[in-house]
Amino acid sequence: MSALVPLPVPAWLLKQGGRPEAYCHREMLDAVRYLVDNGVKWMAMPVDFPYWRAVYDFFRRWRTYDYVRELYDRLRRAARKRRGRKAEPSAGIIDSQSVDVSETVGEDSRGYDGGKSRDGRKRHILTDSEGLLLEVTVTTADVHDSKAAPALLETFMDQPGRLLKLVWVDSAYQGPALAKAFARHGVRVEVVRRSDGHRGSVVLARRWVVERTLSWLSRSRRLDRDHERRPDHHAAMVWWSAVIRLSRRLAADAPRWPEKRPDRLARARV
């Protein structure tokens, strides 16, 4: 298991100077989750939440230090252990998704995907066999999948404690650079191809898992289109969307009253 990175502690609590923060981190977390899930503008943050500029600074600080990714990694390990699996997966799936961009995205960070007829960016993701997010990177939409996959794999495998040995991909993930990157880390690639003669949408073994994850991410309205000026901000939005989905799953698995807590139900009837 990779070493745990401590989540941020305000400087004033560590006696390092600065004044106490005006808002608690739970309020900040709820505000960012609201923005990602509902797709509002930063300046349109409801008054029930902290001041929008403070929320944006909180989001940017967590993006800079990868705190949101660390939060998701902890939730992912907990979810896998709850299902009786190892904390780190040994198999994964890679896929990508092109999305349109708004006028706030500059010409230097967008491209045209001829295959999907989209002028925007492309998010490349690596998931485990259950669809839990392992890594994400954002490029212009004209970057081929095989060109972005090596950096995606390198970013994930550079973390200590990784156990990845097998990755399922589609036929687009081929080429010497990709094969060299996988071989360097001892990861085997298995291409899942469509059967000859099939037309339209076809459910393919293993690949449907990562496609389902991409559809889960699209439920967050902030990810329907890319509104972020910077690609790393969009990648952070993907991590926040994954946190929302996984935290809801973990909460749903928790013991409930009264169906899953018969002992409390019996005491209530006394």
Side-chain angles (χ1 to χ4, degrees):
M1 182 184 297
S2 61
L4 292 179
V5 177
L7 292 178
V9 177
W12 64 274
L13 284 179
L14 299 176
K15 309 300 182 182
Q16 296 178 355
R19 63 180 180 180
E21 297 187 54
Y23 308 102
C24 74
H25 282 189
R26 175 56 189 267
E27 292 178 336
M28 294 293 195
L29 288 169
D30 289 343
V32 176
R33 287 166 62 105
Y34 178 87
L35 179 135
V36 175
D37 198 28
N38 294 275
V40 301
K41 298 179 180 179
W42 285 106
M43 296 182 67
M45 190 74 65
V47 296
D48 297 338
F49 293 113
Y51 180 54
W52 75 268
R53 185 70 203 191
V55 178
Y56 176 72
D57 289 342
F58 177 86
F59 165 83
R60 189 172 58 179
R61 184 166 67 249
W62 276 50
R63 182 266 309 164
T64 301
Y65 295 102
D66 271 344
Y67 291 140
V68 61
R69 175 181 174 178
E70 174 63 24
L71 173 61
Y72 183 82
D73 280 346
R74 296 188 185 191
L75 293 176
R76 173 177 57 80
R77 296 185 193 110
R80 288 180 59 87
K81 287 182 178 180
R82 183 174 292 184
R83 297 177 68 90
R85 312 193 70 173
K86 293 183 178 179
E88 288 295 330
S90 59
I93 313 118
I94 293 179
D95 204 356
S96 65
Q97 182 182 47
S98 297
V99 292
D100 293 322
V101 296
S102 63
E103 70 281 355
T104 57
V105 178
E107 294 293 335
D108 59 335
S109 63
R110 70 164 73 189
Y112 185 76
D113 182 356
K116 300 296 177 63
S117 299
R118 290 185 179 274
D119 178 23
R121 287 178 178 153
K122 184 183 291 186
R123 45 184 178 244
H124 310 262
I125 67 170
L126 169 66
T127 72
D128 67 3
S129 58
E130 294 184 352
L132 301 180
L133 189 64
L134 299 178
E135 191 56 63
V136 58
T137 185
V138 178
T139 66
T140 56
D142 56 348
V143 174
H144 195 267
D145 294 347
S146 62
K147 302 296 184 181
L152 180 71
L153 180 70
E154 293 283 356
T155 304
F156 177 73
M157 296 300 292
D158 282 346
Q159 301 296 320
R162 300 307 190 192
L163 304 176
L164 197 65
K165 297 298 180 184
L166 171 65
V167 172
W168 290 285
V169 297
D170 61 26
S171 56
Y173 293 90
Q174 300 183 48
L178 182 61
K180 182 178 179 180
F182 278 85
R184 180 163 54 251
H185 295 285
V187 178
R188 182 167 58 89
V189 181
E190 183 174 318
V191 179
V192 181
R193 304 181 184 275
R194 293 168 58 96
S195 301
D196 295 336
H198 285 284
R199 294 183 179 181
S201 178
V202 179
V203 177
L204 299 177
R206 301 298 181 180
R207 279 178 52 189
W208 70 269
V209 176
V210 67
E211 291 171 356
R212 181 186 60 180
T213 300
L214 290 170
S215 69
W216 284 345
L217 295 174
S218 298
R219 292 183 180 180
S220 296
R221 294 186 177 182
R222 189 77 183 194
L223 299 182
D224 280 347
R225 294 172 63 89
D226 191 348
H227 303 276
E228 316 309 322
R229 298 181 185 274
R230 298 172 42 156
D232 58 341
H233 278 203
H234 183 77
M237 292 292 180
V238 173
W239 284 114
W240 279 106
S241 176
V243 166
I244 293 172
R245 175 72 186 183
L246 186 52
S247 60
R248 286 175 177 171
R249 179 195 294 189
L250 289 172
D253 289 344
R256 293 287 179 173
W257 160 265
E259 293 82 2
K260 297 183 179 180
R261 301 290 292 275
D263 55 327
R264 294 187 61 182
L265 181 60
R267 290 198 302 268
R269 291 175 176 174
V270 176

